Amino acid sequence: MFPHLASPILIEAAHQFGTPLYVYHAERIRFQYQSLKQAFANWDVRFFYAAKALTNLHILSYVDSLGCAIDCSSINEIKLALRAKVASEKILYTSNSINFTEIEEAVALGVYVHVDSLSALEKFGKRFGNSYPVGIRLRPNIMAGGNLKISTGHASSKFGIPVEQLDQVLALISSYNINVQTLHIHTGSEIKDAKVFVQGISLLLDIVAQFPNVSAINLGGGFKVPYYPNEKGTDMNELGQSVATLFMEYQQKTGRHLQVWFEPGKYLVCEAGYLLTTVNVLKENEAQRFAGVDTGLNQLIRPMFYDAYHHIENLTNPLAPVNTYTIVGNICETDTLGADRSMPAIREGDILSIQNAGAYGFQMASSYNARLRPAEVLYKDGSLQLIRRRETLEDLIQTQENL
Ligand SMILES: *Cc1c(COP(=O)(O)O)cnc(C)c1O
């Protein structure tokens, strides 16, 4: 277990940089990466941080410094990773519904690409033949993930090439002599049960004989982390053991070594992040006691978009008697960040910490209601470093033509 960032540090950050504020704890990211390395120590595994979870240049650079590679979901994420001085050999591009020009651009930048459709595979073959290696994202028809919105491998999902179309894949590979080096699946996010990954591995090991150039199997991301206190995440040690056993057995049976790749996003950064917010208004009615705060769905959309639970603590009144609060945002929508939470009495002016805000927090923020996106701070080696300034009204106007 890794302890939460201590309240005095979070309070200091709020005082120094104001709220709403995202704070990330570097050591927590390192701890998460080390625990992955440890869990998979018995097999040849490479990790690519799914940059879309949290894309700040300082985070990309820090993750790179740990020895972790980077998985990108758009050409701009690739450019950000390069800007963070990540070597192109350490960058993966896994996307969908993109124009082929983005794939050409990624290849020109020296990045490894996964194609996600027969159409893109054919274009890749026509354009590059066997001169540049490529990976194929398959749709395994496995239903998994925290909820349907984040489930990506099921039989009606838009992602990947359906495994039923394997014959067409093989026909394209043979007619253009395409050098397919990886097979990829990503079944969804928040997959708690290690057996879902085992199901995916079995499927890929059943077909990999038909892909003689494949040297690595990419199992995507989607490890679950706890959001509720005492909740369990994916059992990484169980998964690490299963991976080692299955790939070792396969190697013994066939003499073929397959490296394994993972693309963890949430697992690396989720628990490292805190969204700090100040209570503006207390409001009571017959049924509820509301605490209205200076953030909302514009800055953390997960509670509304995914019905996600985020634990909330009162940093500045921790020893007060407990009461029940519904914590609501300041946007003109029903943006409930936490319903009926028992917590130490909240006063106007208290600073609350919304936990597990590192992944898909800032990165999904918008300027809805013309509110400004918050600042981001990295706590590393005992000091707080501003890694993104707070937006200003000028930032909102900048891209609009003059009146
Ligand atoms: C989003 C995504 C990931 C990361 O998912 P997490 O749930 O954050 O681990 C990995 N691979 C692909 C292809 C993705 O789209």
Side-chain angles (χ1 to χ4, degrees):
M1 272 307 286
F2 194 93
H4 275 293
L5 199 46
S7 300
I9 296 169
L10 293 172
I11 294 169
E12 166 61 23
H15 286 157
Q16 205 175 322
F17 301 100
T19 63
L21 181 73
Y22 275 97
V23 180
Y24 311 116
H25 189 191
E27 278 73 28
R28 181 64 191 260
I29 299 175
R30 184 175 58 196
F31 172 83
Q32 295 297 113
Y33 182 61
Q34 295 307 339
S35 53
L36 278 184
K37 298 276 285 181
Q38 219 163 37
F40 292 92
N42 294 331
W43 194 251
D44 178 12
V45 176
R46 256 187 110 183
F47 299 98
F48 298 80
Y49 166 56
K52 72 174 190 276
L54 177 59
T55 320
N56 188 294
L57 293 174
H58 295 260
I59 300 295
L60 297 178
S61 168
Y62 181 70
V63 167
D64 180 51
S65 78
L66 298 174
C68 187
I70 307 285
D71 173 51
C72 297
S73 65
S74 75
I75 192 74
N76 290 336
E77 283 186 4
I78 293 173
K79 291 174 184 174
L80 290 174
L82 292 170
R83 188 76 71 98
K85 303 213 161 49
V86 179
S88 57
E89 313 87 75
K90 294 177 70 186
I91 302 176
L92 266 187
Y93 186 24
T94 308
S95 200
N96 67 92
S97 303
I98 56 174
N99 193 287
F100 190 69
T101 53
E102 275 198 20
I103 292 180
E104 289 179 311
E105 207 178 341
V107 167
L109 291 169
V111 165
Y112 186 81
V113 176
H114 287 107
V115 294
D116 166 88
S117 65
L118 288 173
S119 156
L121 183 61
E122 177 155 29
K123 287 174 192 152
F124 197 94
K126 275 192 186 145
R127 174 77 175 74
F128 300 109
N130 73 348
S131 69
Y132 200 87
V134 70
I136 296 181
R137 179 172 184 172
L138 295 167
R139 193 194 71 193
N141 302 342
I142 294 171
M143 180 58 94
N147 62 60
L148 194 58
K149 278 187 193 149
I150 54 175
S151 178
T152 54
H154 58 83
S156 52
S157 159
K158 71 164 184 171
F159 296 97
I161 304 175
V163 283
E164 307 87 270
Q165 296 173 4
L166 199 60
D167 288 348
Q168 293 167 68
V169 170
L170 294 169
L172 287 173
I173 292 174
S174 104
S175 54
Y176 297 103
N177 195 18
I178 304 170
N179 181 9
V180 176
Q181 292 196 350
T182 51
L183 296 180
H184 174 281
I185 56 171
H186 170 73
T187 45
S189 272
E190 300 196 9
I191 299 168
K192 187 167 163 189
D193 187 357
K195 290 183 191 68
V196 171
F197 289 94
V198 171
Q199 235 181 308
I201 294 167
S202 309
L203 184 140
L204 291 172
L205 291 181
D206 280 344
I207 60 173
V208 70
Q210 300 173 73
F211 298 86
N213 291 353
V214 164
S215 58
I217 296 289
N218 184 339
L219 297 169
F223 305 142
K224 175 162 177 51
V225 301
Y227 277 81
Y228 292 86
N230 305 319
E231 196 188 6
K232 290 255 186 309
T234 313
D235 185 335
M236 301 312 296
N237 291 320
E238 180 192 344
L239 180 55
Q241 262 325 308
S242 301
V243 164
T245 306
L246 289 167
F247 282 88
M248 178 59 79
E249 279 173 9
Y250 183 81
Q251 181 165 317
Q252 280 163 354
K253 209 166 62 191
T254 62
R256 185 171 179 190
H257 179 75
L258 291 169
Q259 193 175 58
V260 172
W261 293 2
F262 282 109
E263 303 164 340
K266 180 172 284 187
Y267 187 83
L268 290 177
V269 297
C270 183
E271 294 156 285
Y274 303 81
L275 173 56
L276 306 184
T277 183
T278 302
V279 178
N280 283 332
V281 171
L282 288 174
K283 189 189 276 186
E284 287 191 34
N285 63 22
E286 312 67 41
Q288 261 157 327
R289 192 175 291 111
F290 290 109
V293 297
D294 68 355
T295 185
L297 64 64
N298 54 327
Q299 299 177 346
L300 183 68
I301 201 173
R302 298 190 74 265
M304 283 56 70
F305 194 29
Y306 302 126
D307 288 325
Y309 176 93
H310 282 258
H311 198 62
I312 303 176
E313 295 214 327
N314 185 350
L315 296 178
T316 43
N317 202 19
L319 302 175
V322 167
N323 220 328
T324 304
Y325 298 90
T326 290
I327 292 107
V328 292
N330 59 359
I331 293 302
C332 300
E333 301 281 342
T334 301
D335 54 348
T336 304
L337 295 158
D340 298 323
R341 300 291 178 88
S342 289
M343 54 196 298
I346 295 178
R347 306 160 299 183
E348 292 186 357
D350 273 333
I351 298 167
L352 308 185
S353 164
I354 306 178
Q355 298 181 351
N356 281 46
Y360 310 107
F362 183 92
Q363 231 49 57
M364 288 180 132
S366 73
S367 56
Y368 186 42
N369 277 201
R371 294 256 168 223
L372 307 172
R373 265 172 285 228
E376 293 178 292
V377 164
L378 182 63
Y379 181 72
K380 183 163 157 262
D381 301 328
S383 64
L384 294 162
Q385 183 196 358
L386 185 68
I387 59 172
R388 185 193 302 264
R389 67 162 171 79
R390 190 174 299 287
E391 275 182 347
T392 64
L393 188 61
E394 272 314 301
D395 293 317
L396 293 190
I397 298 166
Q398 215 170 47
T399 50
Q400 303 184 43
E401 299 296 338
N402 285 333
L403 263 186

